[in-house]
Amino acid sequence: MAQEAINDALIEHARAGKAVVRLKGGDPFVFGRGMEEVHALAAAGIACTVVPGISSSISVPGAVGIPVTHRGVAHEFTVVSGHVAPDDDRSLVDWAALARSRGTLVLLMAVDKIGAIARALIEHGKAPETRVALVQEGTTAAQRRVDATLATVGEVARAEDVRPPAVIVIGDVVALG
């Protein structure tokens, strides 16, 4: 459903006097377009309450035993939307800076672009042998984990037929889980 249609449905049902709950997986403000819905409701004069959730960027790696940070291994993590390829003019991501980072990189919405993302990270200096975990359908009965390296992740994702939704974790923490 298009975001505008979702916004319209929220407004329509609220104006009809119904109590409306918009249940989103994860956190509504982490690539969830939650603020777009809040703004649409506010513009329509409808009050709402946002209940934060736990982002899949943290919960899905945790579900397969991967901490996004760990003492002596990674002191930070960065969450990036991977729906736009690094060489696309619409990309807002500083891939060179991410390649220099020593922390964990968590990619959401990146399955289709993982080969290009991996190449960009390597081109900017990230070690090709950096560990990568792809977690498909995390926290569901269909959850599965596929491991690779930055150099092989594009090929492995295709060979293993990894499909969205999947959370991709890049960094030394992958070895811990």
Side-chain angles (χ1 to χ4, degrees):
M1 200 174 195
Q3 187 62 52
E4 287 181 1
I6 293 169
N7 295 349
D8 291 344
L10 292 171
I11 293 166
E12 175 188 336
H13 293 294
R15 283 189 173 150
K18 297 179 181 175
V20 180
V21 175
R22 169 75 162 116
L23 184 60
K24 299 176 87 67
D27 188 276
F29 293 157
V30 179
F31 305 125
R33 296 186 177 179
M35 190 52 72
E36 293 177 37
E37 295 171 10
V38 169
H39 285 163
L41 291 167
I46 299 168
C48 71
T49 301
V50 175
V51 178
I54 299 174
S55 172
S56 62
S57 62
I58 298 168
S59 63
V60 169
V64 295
I66 300 172
V68 293
T69 63
H70 186 75
R71 186 188 329 219
V73 178
H75 293 175
E76 78 269 0
F77 69 99
T78 304
V79 181
V80 178
S81 169
H83 76 284
V84 176
D87 62 352
D88 189 308
D89 290 339
R90 298 171 298 150
S91 178
L92 303 175
V93 178
D94 185 343
W95 294 103
L98 291 176
R100 290 189 306 272
S101 170
R102 294 175 58 194
T104 304
L105 179 57
V106 180
L107 304 174
L108 303 179
M109 301 174 288
V111 171
D112 294 337
K113 306 290 189 289
I114 189 56
I117 291 169
R119 284 190 299 278
L121 291 170
I122 292 168
E123 287 169 9
H124 289 294
K126 195 78 154 168
E129 63 275 6
T130 302
R131 306 265 317 246
V132 180
L134 302 101
V135 185
Q136 180 178 319
E137 298 186 52
T139 73
T140 72
Q143 173 179 292
R144 72 177 178 129
R145 174 180 170 172
V146 175
D147 284 29
T149 65
L150 208 51
T152 64
V153 68
E155 177 183 313
V156 169
R158 278 189 308 278
E160 294 289 330
D161 196 30
V162 175
R163 298 276 179 221
V167 174
I168 301 171
V169 184
I170 301 172
D172 293 340
V173 294
V174 172
L176 301 174

